[in-house]
Amino acid sequence: MAKLEVKNLSMSYDGKNKILEDLSLSIQDGELVSILGPSGCGKTTTLRIIAGLLKQTDGEIIVGEKNISNLPVHKREFGMVFQSYALFPHLSVFNNVAFGLKMRKLDKKQIQEKVENVLSVTGLSDLAKRFPAELSGGQQQRVSLARALVINPQVLLLDEPLSNLDAKLRVEMREEIRRLQQELKMTAIFVTHDQEECFAISDKVAVMNRGRVEQFDTPQAIYQEPKTLFVAKFIGFENFIKVVGYDGEAYLTESNIKLAAQAKENTRYLTIRPRQIKIIETANDSENVVKGRIINRTYLGNSYRYTVKTSLGVLKVDDFEHDVLSRDEDVILELAVKNLLPLEN
Amino acid sequence: MLDRKNKPLLIFGLVVMFIILVPLVLVVITSFGNQPTISLPIKGFTFEWYKNILQQPDFVDGFKMSLFVALIASFSALLIGIPAVYALTRYNLQHAEWFQSFFLSPTLIPEIVVGFALYQTAVISFKLPLLISLLVGHFLLCLPYVIRLVSASMLILDPHIEEAAWVSGCTKGQAFFLVVLPNIKASVIAAFMMCFINSFNNIPISLFLNGPALNMLPTAILNYLQNNYDPTVSAISVVLMIFTAVMMWVVEKFLGVNKLVK
Amino acid sequence: MRKRSAILLLLPAFVGVLIFTFYPLIQIIIPTLNQSSDYGKLYLEFLKSSYNQTVIFRTLAIALFTTLVVLVLGLPLAIWIARQDEKVRKLLSVIILFPMLTNAVIRNFAWIIILGKNGVFNDLLLKLHLISAPITILYTNAAIVIGSAYLFLPIMVTSLVGSITELNIETEEAAAVLGAGAMTNLFKVIIPQLTTGILTGCILVFAGTMTAYTTPQLLGGNRHLVMATLIYQQAMTLGDWTNASVVAIILIILSVVIMFAINKLMKKLDRRKVNA
Ligand SMILES: Nc1ncnc2c1ncn2[C@@H]1O[C@H](COP(=O)(O)OP(=O)(O)OP(=O)(O)O)[C@@H](O)[C@H]1O
Ligand SMILES: [Mg+2]
């Protein structure tokens, strides 16, 4: 268990296309950090470089105080959980878990003790004699986790460990992983492309896009204050207003309308959640009010989703206070300053 | 419908099975006949011809030599073929398919030509001893079986289990022997058996590469048969059939005979 | 680094095949081309001789007939085996496998016992008074076809049983419901779905028969040479290694061309996988 530092990682499989570019992460001792991002953004690549299964083109990996950038995979003392579980089909559950200990030449008694211990923590004690083919997906997943944990790894690496499980088991297992990680005070990196999953269990989240970390923050910060257009889109913001300048008080939109919002450098867009846009009765003098016409309405259960055409562009608005409005009705929208978030590109 | 209950199909099937088995049964029967030449029905009953096998140095030495060559050729095909398969299936090579066809290419060349060409290259040009040349020829016969059978099972095996072994602290070599090999064991054994049987039975390759002191059993039988027509041939045939049956039984016991043809 | 270890692993097999398969081929080709200023001279001479033409024609004809016999016997047998219960199917497959793994000399020898002048077959015909004197079957082309068919039938059946068990029997039931009888089903439903399996089997049988040495040697005798036995005769009996090489090269070219042609045909005929 140790602090993990990834510095300026670059990676290219073919020498031309850069899959990772200048990627840095810093993970404190005992922290669980998720890497979140769309398919193909380089999550697995990052994890495999950290594990030593791939060699970076550039950059460093430091565990504790030790630079392990050039250490071969089998000397890194990491634990890894694979998406396919990658259990050894020819070994029993016990021997799967004992494998890493045997490689470390521990004596029989110690191995027995440690394996039994980890099997009981992961709830596998009764299955020790079974073979992987005789286990359910969730059980295989646990074995894979136990195998990674038993060597008491410096860092635990998990690559989409839950994606082969059904929805219910997924929730159960992610809580289990979180519990074990906290109990053992394990430094862990968890790769996923499921936003909910990663918010639920992480201390911090690194949102990746095209081989770069776009934002590295706590789940709360990412949810409430996405920094870039990509992050905002990825976690579900839907309204994006392009801005072209800032005059010291307000942003100037493409359509020449002034919108007040928190000042921030490099801002290219403003965003606001559909339910934070208020439908108001009469246009008051305050800033950030815009007129529009409803062009579509969808019932969402506890609210109505209106698509409103405004001079700022088409905005999505969720409303659960007013009576039902219908198509072609004119409305006045208020985009409160505190809810408008500035985004970088 | 052409299912199990279809009468004509049933009759046809039984007849063809009969045709397949009867010739071999006849061989067995003739091996016990009393007359000096093979004839049916047999008169009397004797084991004389089986004893006579041992009087034929060509058969006895041939059997030993064939066994030796088949074993060495099969082992070397595994020893050289498996690393190649590993590289083809685990290294993401650009021309993996090309290499695969290259390694299978000896099957495209008629065996008689393999022996004929090898004789000129290995024996005449390279001046290799006859035995070495013979082993090379049989190695070429075996290699494609190893490539085909082992790579099929390497492709099925999850490549991540090896990585899991590395992460657990194995070197590449340890991971291969501790994790990969145990999981492709069945295909390795199947490949070995196919190599062994085909090498042991081969005639065309040995034909050009055998010599006075290098007598292979099948060619010995072939020669004997061209000069004699007595039940000794039947007897040695029966012995070889028992040999084959025992091998099949062993394979069936350990991995199922159907693995051999997949 | 990774590249280097991949190369190291491939190298022994690569060098082995290169030096002992491809180099020897080149080595036998060169003398056949260099004998005179005219590169193709030896080949033209060889092909002009009517004796050689007969040998080539015999080789191809025997391979063709063998393939047909094997197909006609093997397909229904394979269907029959494939349609059995798992257990019976396995047993039958093992029985088929046994001759396949038995030495070719033994299997040919069995047919010598049957087809010879005083063989089982002649005996039978005489006893049934179908003939009055033994007929000659052994040492004819027919004997070679019979022996080869016996040699290759198990291979065809094994390969077909595999593809037939993969067929969805419901396609036949669907056809039966629509009024197709057993024969219609065979030709209109089963065989079209089996083109790949059948043609793969045909490649094996045709190429195998065409290049086989043992069977024509034992069952054809000296007067019914095929290309494989001709190579041996030219080289070992007549000592004409160059001419033997010419035959060898022609044999390779013929068998490879035929295999590729059937392969092409197979790809063309099998349209099931277009969308896969
Ligand atoms: N062995 C390889 N050779 C070449 N390119 C590769 C290789 N592996 C991955 N890539 C490319 O690198 C990029 C990142 O791949 P990576 O597997 O890291 O993505 P990921 O974020 O894990 O995606 P997913 O969510 O689908 O697992 C992709 O564009 C992929 O095509
Ligand atoms: Mg991935």
Side-chain angles (χ1 to χ4, degrees), chain A residues 196-247:
Chain A
E196 182 197 318
E197 189 171 288
C198 108
F199 282 5
I201 69 167
S202 321
D203 294 306
K204 275 179 147 185
V205 177
V207 184
M208 268 187 81
N209 180 28
R210 298 190 187 188
R212 296 165 175 276
V213 174
E214 294 249 344
Q215 189 168 356
F216 184 42
D217 238 325
T218 61
Q220 293 78 2
I222 288 189
Y223 188 73
Q224 281 156 18
E225 277 181 62
K227 284 208 181 100
T228 65
L229 178 66
F230 173 81
V231 176
K233 275 188 177 161
F234 197 71
I235 62 172
F237 281 83
E238 286 171 277
N239 296 317
F240 301 101
I241 303 157
K242 190 156 195 196
V243 299
V244 292
Y246 185 68
D247 65 4

Side-chain angles (χ1 to χ4, degrees), chain B:
Chain B
M1 283 221 323
L2 288 171
D3 54 21
R4 217 170 341 177
K5 290 170 219 120
N6 187 301
K7 269 267 164 55
L9 189 63
L10 172 74
I11 295 166
F12 193 96
L14 289 176
V15 168
V16 180
M17 286 304 286
F18 182 78
I19 297 176
I20 287 177
L21 289 177
V22 159
L24 296 180
V25 173
L26 293 181
V27 171
V28 177
I29 295 173
T30 56
S31 74
F32 299 110
N34 242 337
Q35 297 105 312
T37 64
I38 296 167
S39 59
L40 272 167
I42 54 167
K43 303 223 171 68
F45 185 92
T46 176
F47 282 111
E48 227 17 71
W49 307 111
Y50 288 89
K51 282 186 209 145
N52 192 37
I53 296 173
L54 297 175
Q55 312 302 313
Q56 307 292 327
D58 278 1
F59 287 172
V60 178
D61 299 343
F63 181 80
K64 287 184 201 155
M65 183 54 80
S66 286
L67 202 62
F68 173 76
V69 169
L71 282 175
I72 302 285
S74 309
F75 272 120
S76 48
L78 289 177
L79 218 59
I80 289 175
I82 293 175
V85 169
Y86 184 83
L88 290 182
T89 51
R90 286 296 182 271
Y91 279 84
N92 240 326
L93 298 176
Q94 276 174 14
H95 305 294
E97 250 175 61
W98 185 89
F99 274 107
Q100 174 102 4
S101 323
F102 183 80
F103 292 140
L104 296 179
S105 64
T107 51
L108 288 181
I109 298 164
E111 287 170 10
I112 182 103
V113 180
V114 173
F116 168 72
L118 206 54
Y119 180 78
Q120 297 184 59
T121 302
V123 181
I124 297 179
S125 301
F126 296 168
K127 306 228 169 0
L128 291 177
L130 213 49
L131 177 62
I132 302 291
S133 313
L134 186 67
L135 287 172
V136 168
H138 281 245
F139 162 79
L140 291 172
L141 177 74
C142 294
L143 187 66
Y145 289 104
V146 176
I147 301 284
R148 220 181 283 136
L149 287 163
V150 179
S151 66
S153 73
M154 277 298 276
L155 288 174
I156 299 172
L157 190 68
D158 180 3
H160 290 125
I161 70 161
E162 240 170 296
E163 298 181 342
W166 301 338
V167 174
S168 300
C170 278
T171 62
K172 306 238 156 143
Q174 284 173 321
F176 180 80
F177 287 105
L178 292 176
V179 169
V180 178
L181 205 50
N183 285 301
I184 57 167
K185 196 174 55 189
S187 72
V188 172
I189 297 175
F192 177 81
M193 294 312 283
M194 284 313 269
C195 289
F196 181 85
I197 292 169
N198 280 287
S199 164
F200 190 87
N201 286 338
N202 185 275
I203 290 174
I205 292 181
S206 313
L207 214 52
F208 282 95
L209 299 168
N210 62 11
L214 252 187
N215 188 16
M216 307 287 281
L217 184 57
T219 38
I221 302 177
L222 185 70
N223 288 337
Y224 189 91
L225 193 53
Q226 282 172 328
N227 303 317
N228 312 273
Y229 192 61
D230 71 47
T232 313
V233 183
S234 309
I236 183 83
S237 299
V238 173
V239 171
L240 284 183
M241 282 192 260
I242 293 170
F243 186 63
T244 308
V246 169
M247 274 194 295
M248 281 178 69
W249 179 78
V250 171
V251 174
E252 177 62 35
K253 199 100 210 258
F254 288 107
L255 72 162
V257 162
N258 50 348
K259 278 264 173 11
L260 290 183
V261 285
K262 268 190 195 142

Side-chain angles (χ1 to χ4, degrees), chain A residues 9-197:
Chain A
L9 221 50
S10 289
M11 172 66 192
S12 170
Y13 284 101
D14 54 7
K16 282 181 292 210
N17 295 321
K18 283 212 159 176
I19 303 295
L20 300 182
E21 232 181 318
D22 208 19
L23 182 142
S24 298
L25 281 176
S26 171
I27 301 166
Q28 300 305 314
D29 197 352
E31 243 181 12
L32 190 155
V33 167
S34 287
I35 300 180
L36 177 68
S39 188
C41 73
K43 305 180 296 289
T44 298
T45 305
T46 309
L47 204 72
R48 289 168 63 83
I49 290 175
I50 295 173
L53 291 169
L54 279 177
K55 184 97 178 72
Q56 68 273 26
T57 341
D58 222 331
E60 292 183 340
I61 298 152
I62 293 156
V63 176
E65 301 300 312
K66 202 170 149 210
N67 186 339
I68 60 158
S69 310
N70 292 315
L71 206 62
V73 42
H74 63 277
K75 294 194 175 146
R76 287 200 180 185
E77 310 266 314
F78 287 177
M80 187 154 176
V81 175
F82 292 82
Q83 191 169 2
S84 62
Y85 313 141
L87 299 181
F88 307 129
H90 64 300
L91 297 179
S92 66
V93 167
F94 184 95
N95 284 325
N96 260 280
V97 177
F99 190 87
L101 299 173
K102 285 182 184 160
M103 295 321 297
R104 283 165 182 74
K105 306 232 157 44
L106 267 62
D107 66 54
K108 265 218 162 105
K109 236 183 82 203
Q110 271 180 301
I111 293 180
Q112 183 82 21
E113 211 170 276
K114 286 194 181 217
V115 173
E116 275 171 8
N117 187 26
V118 78
L119 287 181
S120 90
V121 185
T122 45
L124 290 165
S125 299
D126 297 339
L127 305 176
K129 291 209 179 80
R130 297 244 195 122
F131 281 79
E134 302 161 352
L135 300 176
S136 71
Q139 291 166 337
Q140 292 185 32
Q141 167 61 220
R142 279 166 202 271
V143 177
S144 162
L145 194 61
R147 183 178 65 184
L149 291 174
V150 74
I151 60 164
N152 197 11
Q154 304 248 30
V155 180
L156 177 63
L157 306 171
L158 306 113
D159 188 1
E160 306 209 26
L162 308 177
S163 61
N164 285 336
L165 301 177
D166 62 47
K168 193 163 154 265
L169 212 52
R170 205 139 67 199
V171 173
E172 207 173 285
M173 277 309 296
R174 80 184 184 210
E175 268 147 29
E176 177 96 7
I177 289 174
R178 179 59 162 166
R179 177 181 69 81
L180 285 167
Q181 181 262 335
Q182 287 187 323
E183 243 168 57
L184 303 169
K185 300 193 175 56
M186 189 84 54
T187 310
I189 304 181
F190 185 98
V191 164
T192 176
H193 56 242
D194 182 331
Q195 185 206 134
E196 182 197 318
E197 189 171 288

Side-chain angles (χ1 to χ4, degrees), chain C residues 175-197:
Chain C
V177 170
L178 293 172
M183 276 298 149
T184 320
N185 237 325
L186 176 64
F187 286 102
K188 294 273 152 90
V189 181
I190 301 180
I191 292 180
Q193 293 187 78
L194 283 180
T195 42
T196 307

Side-chain angles (χ1 to χ4, degrees), chain C residues 150-219:
Chain C
Y150 185 63
L151 221 55
F152 287 101
L153 184 59
I155 295 182
M156 178 69 105
V157 173
T158 314
S159 124
L160 282 179
V161 168
S163 18
I164 297 169
T165 28
E166 280 164 21
L167 287 187
N168 183 353
I169 197 156
E170 284 175 5
T171 57
E172 284 156 65
E173 289 167 350
V177 170
L178 293 172
M183 276 298 149
T184 320
N185 237 325
L186 176 64
F187 286 102
K188 294 273 152 90
V189 181
I190 301 180
I191 292 180
Q193 293 187 78
L194 283 180
T195 42
T196 307
I198 290 175
L199 289 177
T200 310
C202 287
I203 291 180
L204 289 174
V205 177
F206 195 97
T209 308
M210 188 175 158
T211 59
Y213 170 83
T214 315
T215 307
Q217 174 65 23
L218 276 173
L219 302 182

